Amino acid sequence: KQWYQRRVRGHKRGEVANILELHNKTPVWNDETQSYVLNFHGRVTQASVKNFQIIHDNDPEYIVMQFGRVSDEVFTMDFRYPLCALQAFAIALSSFDGKIACE
């Protein structure tokens, strides 16, 4: 708890040197499908509100993590540095919260 409180105080003072900020990659409009799409390079095969890619603003082509549907009840997750398996899995699990009734 003390570590967290120190982090929060440091963040409020603008001390963010050791904090990495990641974002969802913004999908692009596809005229052919009349929808927004992300390129999963064949790893994700079904459209879903749960599909996402995470990037760092410094290099939007370096996909830190991607998660998406491959069949009705099966999803795939790919991740790489700077995330570990536990962090990526936690992020993937969080994508199910609040979206249960969206599909």
Side-chain angles (χ1 to χ4, degrees):
K1 185 172 178 172
Q2 290 176 346
W3 175 88
Y4 176 76
Q5 290 170 340
R6 283 194 310 271
R7 273 287 192 203
V8 170
R9 283 193 304 271
H11 182 69
K12 288 180 180 178
R13 290 191 304 262
E15 299 168 8
V16 293
N18 294 324
I19 295 176
L20 182 63
E21 187 175 327
L22 302 172
H23 302 276
N24 284 340
K25 187 170 186 175
T26 303
V28 294
W29 181 256
N30 182 311
D31 286 328
E32 185 177 314
T33 62
Q34 293 293 295
S35 63
Y36 288 97
V37 297
L38 292 168
N39 185 355
F40 286 91
H41 303 283
R43 294 285 295 150
V44 174
T45 55
Q46 292 190 0
S48 173
V49 296
K50 295 176 179 71
N51 296 352
F52 65 86
Q53 293 177 324
I54 295 178
I55 60 167
H56 188 277
D57 283 343
N58 289 350
D59 186 1
E61 297 308 309
Y62 183 82
I63 298 168
V64 175
M65 178 185 171
Q66 63 182 18
F67 178 81
R69 185 183 295 271
V70 293
S71 69
D72 284 347
E73 295 183 8
V74 178
F75 291 81
T76 184
M77 176 186 78
D78 302 314
F79 69 95
R80 58 182 167 176
Y81 181 83
L83 295 180
C84 71
L86 180 62
Q87 291 168 320
F89 188 61
I91 293 167
L93 286 178
S94 73
S95 74
F96 289 99
D97 185 39
K99 296 181 184 176
I100 294 171
C102 289
E103 293 186 30

